[in-house]
Amino acid sequence: DAGVIQSPRHEVTEMGQEVTLRCKPISGHNSLFWYRQTMMRGLELLIYFNNNVPIDDSGMPEDRFSAKMPNASFSTLKIQPSEPRDSAVYFCASSEQGRGYTFGSGTRLTVV
Amino acid sequence: KQEVTQIPAALSVPEGENLVLNCSFTDSAIYNLQWFRQDPGKGLTSLLLIQSSQREQTSGRLNASLDKSSGRSTLYIAASQPGDSATYLCAVTLGSGNTPLVFGKGTRLSVIA
């Protein structure tokens, strides 16, 4: 099993540009979570999906953020337009009915 | 709202020492508790998962205990090594299991050779 796969590993973009982060969960896992990690706030939940359906997006900072899960094997997190305060590490995780959570390696986003 | 606290925030110990990391949570109705390790600039590696019906889990030199009624968990590391240096994160879930993890801020551990 390749684990949770995130791309890109690093992204540097200019303020105002659109950024798309991608995630492939572990096959058979029916829940997918997007987290953001910063030094100040630690790990924060942005949004999560069960069976491809968004359940709670209350952690999404503002309308500039959006997430989709078109099928069980793919999810995207989009920021448009990006701002310097969006700079952070974004993690995707998947789980199967409480049998533990597996995290991807993360995407380090820098907005200049 | 579930809150998870980890004490201490940072810890430095000499190699070979046994140590305990603490985690507390405000809502005892958890589904499970998971300990993770994070190396600088890296992702999260799962160490131990404790279901709400369990009291402890062991893996090698690591032992995690869970006391739901008091809202506490401890991670015991025996005979610490410099390779154990990392940030250790505690996280809990509520509900049926397909709900998000709520994380503590972590304990940054340094093991000095």
Side-chain angles (χ1 to χ4, degrees):
Chain A
D1 191 340
V4 176
I5 300 172
Q6 290 187 246
S7 63
R9 289 297 306 276
H10 302 275
E11 177 80 37
V12 180
T13 190
E14 292 185 347
M15 183 173 63
Q17 295 298 307
E18 177 180 297
V19 176
T20 300
L21 312 182
R22 297 173 176 80
C23 175
K24 176 179 170 58
I26 290 174
S27 177
H29 282 194
N30 59 347
S31 295
L32 184 141
F33 308 86
W34 282 100
Y35 286 87
R36 178 171 67 176
Q37 186 177 39
T38 61
M39 288 291 291
M40 290 295 294
R41 301 171 70 98
L43 274 157
E44 301 175 286
L45 177 73
L46 298 176
I47 186 172
Y48 78 100
F49 299 82
N50 283 345
N51 298 314
N52 311 337
V53 176
I55 304 300
D56 183 358
D57 66 354
S58 60
M60 298 284 258
E62 46 198 272
D63 292 345
R64 297 184 297 106
F65 286 68
S66 63
K68 294 181 179 180
M69 192 165 186
N71 56 62
S73 59
F74 185 65
S75 177
T76 60
L77 178 68
K78 185 176 293 186
I79 308 172
Q80 166 63 22
S82 57
E83 297 182 2
R85 59 191 167 125
D86 301 331
S87 298
V89 181
Y90 292 80
F91 287 103
C92 175
S94 68
S95 73
E96 180 193 8
Q97 197 62 42
R99 293 177 187 163
Y101 296 70
T102 303
F103 280 73
S105 299
T107 294
R108 182 173 297 275
L109 174 64
T110 303
V111 183
V112 298
Chain B
K1 177 186 173 185
Q2 178 74 271
E3 294 184 0
V4 180
T5 303
Q6 292 188 245
I7 295 174
L11 181 64
S12 184
V13 300
E15 181 178 6
E17 192 163 296
N18 302 325
L19 58 99
V20 174
L21 307 182
N22 296 294
C23 171
S24 62
F25 43 94
T26 53
D27 187 341
S28 62
I30 64 170
Y31 185 79
N32 60 37
L33 182 145
Q34 197 163 356
W35 283 92
F36 293 87
R37 168 185 172 140
Q38 187 175 29
D39 293 288
K42 303 293 185 182
L44 281 70
T45 300
S46 178
L47 297 174
L48 291 164
L49 170 71
I50 310 177
Q51 301 287 356
S52 61
S53 58
Q54 298 174 321
R55 294 297 297 256
E56 66 177 348
Q57 284 286 338
T58 298
S59 176
R61 295 182 293 108
L62 305 180
N63 175 275
S65 67
L66 174 63
D67 184 343
K68 270 186 57 176
S69 60
S70 67
R72 295 176 189 276
S73 175
T74 60
L75 179 66
Y76 175 83
I77 303 176
S80 58
Q81 303 170 357
D84 295 331
S85 299
T87 295
Y88 291 80
L89 294 156
C90 169
V92 300
T93 56
L94 301 173
S96 62
N98 278 357
T99 52
L101 287 163
V102 177
F103 282 88
K105 291 279 174 52
T107 294
R108 189 171 66 254
L109 173 66
S110 297
V111 181
I112 310 301

